Amino acid sequence: MSALRGFVRAVDWVNERFGRLVALLVLVLVGLVVMEVVLRYVFAAPTVWGTELITFLFAGMIMLGGGYTLLHRDHVNVDILHGRLSPRGRAIADCLTAGFALLYCGVLFHYTASVALEALATGRTTGTDWNPPLFPVMLSLPVGAALLFLQALAKLVRDLHLALTGRVLAP
Amino acid sequence: MSPELASLFLFGGFILLIALGLPLVFALGSVAIIGTYFLWGPQALAMVGLRTFSAANSFVLIAVPLFIFMGCMLERSGIATDLYDMMYKWMGGVRGGLAAGTVLICGIFAAMVGVSGASTVTMGLVALPSMLARGYDRRLSVGCIAAGGALGVLIPPSVLMIVLGLYANVSIGALFLGGIPAGVLLMVLFIAYITVAATLRPELAPALPRGERAAWRERLVALKAVVLPIALIVLVIGSIVSGAATPTEAAGVGAFGAMVCAAVQRRLTVTAVTESARITLRLSCMVIWIVFAASIFTALYTAVGAQAMVRNALTALPGGRWGVIIGMQAIWFLLGCLLDPIGIMIITVPLFFPLARSLGFDPVWFGVLFVVNMEMAYLTPPFGFNLFYMRGVAPPSVSMADIYRGVIPFVAMQALGLALMMVFPGIITALPRAVL
């Protein structure tokens, strides 16, 4: 039991830290977009890398924030039935559907990892004027999927514990 | 597998999972994966990675976190309190003035934020206690805030319209332009209802006693606080609809401007910025992860022939092409009781938009109609976001029944607005056509 408690706490900790760090990327995005706008409209001299870098940072931010969003229960769901159940009933319902959440994250991890590893191995680039390598942004996809998978697994462990024992594990 | 059976499996599985409370992103994603596996075999699953990557690489979607961040920063600059204070001084002396004024403030707020929750929660915290303390009817007070708050997705900027524009391949600038008159029309209808109700039954919304009304000097001074944020809104929306900047560029500049507004109010603290950034991340992930999963789901159900099936069912309705449009509105309304607007959009847009286009309807008009319809989705039980937001911020003296009954007249006004925009399409299309 203490191993399980350790696991869910560790997952919570990783996603909380990661999420708080990744959240700050929005400030970088604001800075870069404003910089690009000033260079484009005031000096008529936009950078060759601005738009691509902004897109990559955005993709990374959203991918890596998925687990943090689940940790805070912000992935929207419909709670017509769900909302009327007791906490324990809700945990039982969530145990029934947890396999589907894990399936999505797992498949997403598997197929994005293979694309990212291929990009890393072949050194593929974007083929634009700036022409950066693709693997950094591509790696954010499997890492993000893994973070979401772990958080979904931690939630399943919590729900199972509550469903079986009626007590909350590691609040 | 026949299209009927495959569609039944896809929709049935999806509806079962969400009814059990599984988040939309997982329900869409897992059903699509299982369907792909059985229809096309395991090698087809590679598209899960590729489609997610191409969705994550969209420049337009970057506007989503930037607009959300802009709204969060403006919220924290104390603008809601300043706006309400100004409105209270100007309109408190009129019967129903605070409720009508709250609708106006919600409209201005909607032009700063792109989601419906932000204005509902903020106005619920600022306007609701003030109206209740002045003897306003509980249901009227709650209803005008919930309905006004929903304007967040209709009056630009709008996260819903950005995703819709991308997804249905309609100009986001044109949708924004069409959303302005649509939002104004709904505000006029809300205010008309409030005015009539307050005139017929003055005890619902009493005017402030003479001694408590603000002097003209105070009223003018109160205007000062709102100048900067309003200038920012005009700049941001103006640059998008005039075509001078892309939504992403305008959103970035708007977010920067919102931080300047907060700094001027001496509220640009480290806590305010980091808290806003975290809320932005969670809300953006919620929306965009649904887009990821939906891009897989949609590819699949387009392939199984669901489009042709829906087309046949809808064109069998009486009333010709208008019968089809009315049927679609009815489906949207029903789905609106059960699902959130992004989910409804993801499921219906690939089915409805090509059909509406082929029947000769203007896609901008149709897109704005969708968003107007979703205004009702925010208010209709059992699943209406703004009802939950209201419950979250309303004092215990307001019951859930008060909230449900309070929104009824406002939903009726929204339905009336929707009907007017269908009968007179020019309400929506005139502005985009004149400008673009």
Side-chain angles (χ1 to χ4, degrees), chain A residues 58, chain B residues 50-59 61 166 288 291-292 295:
Chain A
F58 163 77
Chain B
L50 299 174
R51 284 200 159 253
T52 306
F53 184 68
S54 67
N57 252 323
S58 145
F59 190 71
L61 281 179
L166 181 76
I288 293 165
V291 174
F292 290 166
S295 65

Side-chain angles (χ1 to χ4, degrees), chain A residues 19-20 23 27 40-41 51 55 58-59 62-63 65-66 68-69 72 74 76-78 81-82 100-101 104 108 111 148, chain B residues 17 19-21 23-24 29-30 42 45-46 52 56-57 62 69 244 249 278 281-282 285-286 288-289 292 338 383 385:
Chain A
R20 288 186 181 190
L27 299 175
R40 183 182 307 260
Y41 295 99
T51 306
T55 315
F58 163 77
I62 298 300
M63 289 312 301
Y68 174 69
T69 307
H72 287 268
D74 276 335
V76 62
N77 69 340
V78 175
L81 304 172
H82 209 241
F100 292 92
Y104 170 67
L108 187 62
Y111 287 98
L148 188 60
Chain B
L17 288 175
L20 283 168
L24 276 175
S30 61
L45 285 176
T52 306
N57 252 323
I62 302 172
F69 185 72
E249 289 169 339
R278 287 171 198 170
L281 179 65
R282 299 208 296 266
C285 282
M286 185 266 273
I288 293 165
W289 274 86
F292 290 166
L338 304 171
F383 190 74
F385 267 117

Side-chain angles (χ1 to χ4, degrees), chain B residues 355-386:
Chain B
L355 185 51
R357 268 202 177 109
S358 72
L359 292 172
F361 290 105
D362 181 341
V364 173
W365 170 77
F366 191 62
V368 176
L369 272 195
F370 168 72
V371 181
V372 173
N373 200 311
M374 291 304 105
E375 292 285 291
M376 296 190 281
Y378 282 106
L379 301 184
T380 43
F383 190 74
F385 267 117
N386 285 11

Side-chain angles (χ1 to χ4, degrees), chain B residues 113-121 146 148-153 375 378 385-386 389:
Chain B
V113 299
V115 290
S116 84
S119 35
T120 311
V121 169
L151 293 169
V153 294
E375 292 285 291
Y378 282 106
F385 267 117
N386 285 11
Y389 289 135

